[in-house]
Amino acid sequence: MNYKDVRVANIKDLKKGEMRQVDVEDKQILLARVEDEYFATAAHCTHYGAPLEKGILNGEKVVCPWHNACFNIKSGKLEEPPALDALPRFSVKVEGEDLIVQLPEEIPAQCTPEMVKYNSQKDSRTFVILGAGAAGSAAAETLRQAGFQGKVVMLTREDILPVDRTALSKKYLQNDSQKDSLILRSSEFYSEWDIEVHTHKSVTKVEAAKKTITFEDNTTLEYDALLVATGGKPRNLKVPGADLDNIFTLRQPEDADNIIAAAKNAKTAVVVGSSFIGMETASSLTQRGIKVTVVAPGTVPFEKILGKDIGTMFQKLHEANGVTLQMGTKVKQFEGNGKVEVAVLENGDRLNADLVVVGIGVEPVTEFLQGVELNEKDHSVNVDEYLQAADNLYVAGDIACFPDAATGELTRIEHWRLAQQHGRIAARNSLGEKIKFTSVPFFWSGQFDLKLRYAGHAENWDDIIIQGNLDKQEFLAFYVNNNQILAVAGSQHDQDIAAITELMRSASQQMPKGDEVRKSKINWVEKLDSQSLVA
């Protein structure tokens, strides 16, 4: 590969701890200064292409402003998902006051993390992963990145390679996209790195004591280590008429394809449930020109997660875009001749419905497990701080009930990024490391023009401190319990939330108390910088 030296800046252009995007012909690179050293990488996050200069540089760590992927600025290595690929790194030298970057003729946007391949002579072990979602796919890659040269087998009951499920209720449902656009990694990628992916594999039994897996055809597979990441299955509505055609749940690409097919001839739709899946689906179907009504028993959407004020903001947003919300009631039954035509509500209303999407949560898929402790409440799997449930058996993602690092309480969180974090940590622990899961949960939602970010986890709070203007959908909301900030939600404050996430992540508990946030509006980027200097 041919390289050339390019003058990109003056050393005085960058302060310590600063990042800057620089144009080089028709491409961009990211310059950063850590103390008195200068570094250069690709300029955009390898996940969805966010400009990294709008994010946070915390020491050597770059935090993406959109979805909190993290990279090492010195090496370009990926440190936290949801990105899969690392940042290409370019050599920097100082000549006088000039910063000179050595660049290839074609500047790459991303690069595959360093991995090893299967070598049975060096490692005869078999690591099996049940489930090919966020946790399972992340674990498979992490095993190879961590130097595991044994056999990696990923099993899924689905008929497709791992996909980006977060897009299903958003951009995929809004457009007639190709299913291939959802694929996280190609079959060629898995083949190159000796990761076996077996689709259409239904497991009927896992015996933890025997370390064996039994399949639907009664064949068995022995493992040396197992990660169970089977995720959840959507809850169905158990009312008369629920078996009519054009009533859907949304979990897999096939579900989205079926909804899109029905939507092409639909004028009206009913969404059951004001969950994030439900409300994102309502937004997407409305943008396809369909008249949507959301039916849910609560007072406002997201009240249990975001509070009444922000829930009201979301309700107003949807109503302003033409969505009707029927809150405080439930669907009593569906009517139709073969396919759904009407949704009958408990309050007596009858809603025309050419299609229905049910978004009322998921149930953990764990019924096949033997020899592990299931949570009495929801049949998720209780794990320790290392995500371990039994000898050489780890659990990750939606089915894992794990100790919350902030509170110590067992909790289960259905977030895409957290499932990836689980998969990465569980994979390393299965190789003999002892890494406690202490990552800060983070999720996002896109509905119409509003982009919500949420960091931390708060199931209960005694106060919500809201700063900003909810009418303009510009705000930060702090969820406080006993003066401790457990979580923050916001819109149009991406950099602030990235900084807050880093403060939450710090081992020295650098996040300020609720009283401090109530008293004054904090510059969170400066707060992080000052704490980093102290540390």
Side-chain angles (χ1 to χ4, degrees):
M1 184 180 294
N2 294 323
Y3 289 85
K4 58 183 178 180
D5 288 346
V6 180
R7 181 196 179 280
V8 293
N10 186 287
I11 59 173
K12 297 178 181 178
D13 293 340
L14 285 177
K15 300 176 183 178
K16 290 182 180 180
E18 185 179 2
M19 298 184 292
R20 179 171 299 182
Q21 182 172 300
V22 177
D23 291 331
V24 179
E25 298 175 354
D26 61 340
K27 298 285 187 177
Q28 295 83 38
I29 63 170
L30 182 71
L31 287 180
R33 181 177 174 181
V34 179
E35 297 300 330
D36 291 323
E37 293 185 277
Y38 298 88
F39 303 93
T41 67
H44 297 92
C45 180
T46 61
H47 179 225
Y48 276 5
L52 291 173
E53 71 164 352
K54 302 293 185 182
I56 291 294
L57 180 61
N58 184 26
E60 299 178 7
K61 182 190 295 180
V62 180
V63 184
C64 170
W66 289 359
H67 307 123
N68 272 33
C70 298
F71 307 88
N72 185 287
I73 192 63
K74 290 187 176 182
S75 64
K77 288 183 178 179
L78 174 68
E79 294 188 350
E80 289 275 8
L84 303 179
D85 286 323
L87 294 173
R89 177 187 174 277
F90 313 113
S91 297
V92 181
K93 60 184 178 180
V94 178
E95 292 185 356
E97 292 190 345
D98 292 335
L99 289 177
I100 309 297
V101 179
Q102 189 177 68
L103 295 171
E105 292 182 353
E106 292 293 328
I107 300 175
Q110 63 215 32
C111 59
T112 302
E114 294 181 6
M115 292 194 276
V116 298
K117 297 185 178 182
Y118 174 52
N119 187 328
S120 60
Q121 293 181 340
K122 291 187 176 181
D123 200 326
S124 60
R125 292 176 294 172
T126 297
F127 281 25
V128 178
I129 300 166
L130 292 186
S137 58
E141 294 190 34
T142 301
L143 287 170
R144 290 293 186 229
Q145 292 167 19
F148 177 63
Q149 293 182 276
K151 184 176 288 188
V152 177
V153 181
M154 184 160 54
L155 308 171
T156 174
R157 62 183 181 274
E158 311 301 338
D159 63 352
I160 191 171
L161 293 171
V163 298
D164 181 1
R165 188 176 291 126
T166 67
L168 289 178
S169 56
K170 304 181 187 75
K171 63 181 181 180
Y172 189 80
L173 202 59
Q174 294 166 20
N175 307 298
D176 293 329
S177 304
Q178 295 296 315
K179 190 178 294 186
D180 288 348
S181 67
L182 296 169
I183 301 294
L184 294 174
R185 296 294 200 189
S186 67
S187 57
E188 290 79 12
F189 173 89
Y190 291 116
S191 177
E192 178 181 358
W193 298 107
D194 298 324
I195 298 171
E196 297 180 24
V197 183
H198 299 277
T199 58
H200 298 96
K201 295 293 286 188
S202 294
V203 173
T204 58
K205 183 168 54 176
V206 168
E207 295 177 271
K210 295 181 179 180
K211 292 186 173 60
T212 60
I213 302 167
T214 303
F215 298 99
E216 203 169 40
D217 59 4
N218 287 323
T219 59
T220 61
L221 174 66
E222 295 182 353
Y223 62 82
D224 293 288
L226 173 66
L227 174 67
V228 182
T230 43
K233 57 184 177 182
R235 292 191 180 97
N236 291 305
L237 205 59
K238 298 178 181 179
V239 299
D243 58 347
L244 290 169
D245 289 345
N246 283 8
I247 298 178
F248 308 100
T249 56
L250 179 55
R251 182 75 176 177
Q252 301 297 339
E254 182 181 2
D255 301 327
D257 290 341
N258 290 335
I259 293 170
I260 290 170
K264 290 181 178 179
N265 298 313
K267 294 182 179 179
T268 59
V270 169
V271 172
V272 181
S274 58
S275 62
F276 281 100
I277 288 291
M279 298 300 284
E280 288 170 1
T281 298
S283 168
S284 296
L285 291 178
T286 298
Q287 292 176 71
R288 295 183 71 98
I290 297 173
K291 177 61 179 175
V292 178
T293 301
V294 175
V295 179
T299 306
V300 296
F302 312 129
E303 184 172 6
K304 292 183 179 180
I305 300 171
L306 300 175
K308 188 172 183 178
D309 290 342
I310 296 175
T312 299
M313 179 202 70
F314 271 99
Q315 179 164 342
K316 290 179 178 178
L317 170 70
H318 277 258
E319 290 173 342
N321 283 277
V323 178
T324 300
L325 284 92
Q326 285 264 26
M327 305 299 295
T329 189
K330 298 180 181 180
V331 172
K332 182 179 179 180
Q333 68 181 64
F334 296 109
E335 297 176 355
N337 185 16
K339 64 180 180 180
V340 67
E341 297 173 7
V342 174
V344 182
L345 308 188
E346 289 183 350
N347 65 10
D349 287 354
R350 297 173 59 85
L351 306 177
N352 291 331
D354 296 318
L355 68 94
V356 172
V357 180
V358 178
I360 55 174
V362 300
E363 300 173 352
V365 178
T366 58
E367 64 277 0
F368 56 86
L369 290 171
Q370 296 182 6
V372 300
E373 180 186 358
L374 298 184
N375 188 284
E376 294 180 358
K377 181 179 178 181
D378 58 9
H379 295 110
S380 59
V381 184
N382 292 336
V383 298
D384 63 16
E385 61 265 49
Y386 305 104
L387 304 176
Q388 188 168 5
D391 181 37
N392 282 344
L393 191 155
Y394 295 81
V395 178
D398 290 359
I399 66 171
C401 191
F402 63 97
D404 185 342
T407 65
E409 297 178 357
L410 284 176
T411 188
R412 186 170 74 87
I413 301 176
E414 299 169 6
H415 297 171
W416 177 262
R417 180 175 180 269
L418 182 129
Q420 291 178 303
Q421 291 172 313
H422 272 186
R424 288 165 60 90
I425 295 296
R428 290 187 174 275
N429 286 340
S430 70
L431 293 175
E433 298 188 48
K434 295 291 287 185
I435 305 172
K436 293 182 179 181
F437 185 78
T438 59
S439 300
V440 177
F442 179 92
F443 76 88
W444 65 93
S445 180
Q447 298 171 43
F448 298 106
D449 293 330
L450 190 152
K451 308 300 180 187
L452 177 80
R453 319 291 185 206
Y454 183 105
H457 182 66
E459 295 185 12
N460 300 291
W461 57 79
D462 53 36
D463 191 18
I464 303 175
I465 304 168
I466 298 178
Q467 298 175 347
N469 190 329
L470 293 182
D471 289 337
K472 294 182 179 180
Q473 293 129 34
E474 175 271 313
F475 68 94
L476 286 171
F478 301 88
Y479 297 84
V480 184
N481 197 35
N482 294 326
N483 206 32
Q484 180 183 1
I485 296 175
L486 299 178
V488 59
S491 178
Q492 301 183 52
H493 282 271
D494 293 351
Q495 193 176 49
D496 289 326
I497 293 177
I500 291 168
T501 304
E502 285 299 289
L503 289 168
M504 288 181 171
R505 196 196 315 267
S506 64
S508 55
Q509 298 294 320
Q510 296 173 348
M511 191 67 187
K513 299 296 184 180
D515 287 344
E516 184 179 344
V517 175
R518 286 189 194 93
K519 291 176 183 177
S520 61
K521 189 174 181 180
I522 295 174
N523 184 314
W524 291 101
V525 177
E526 290 183 359
K527 183 76 171 179
L528 177 63
D529 289 343
S530 65
Q531 295 287 6
S532 298
L533 289 173
V534 172

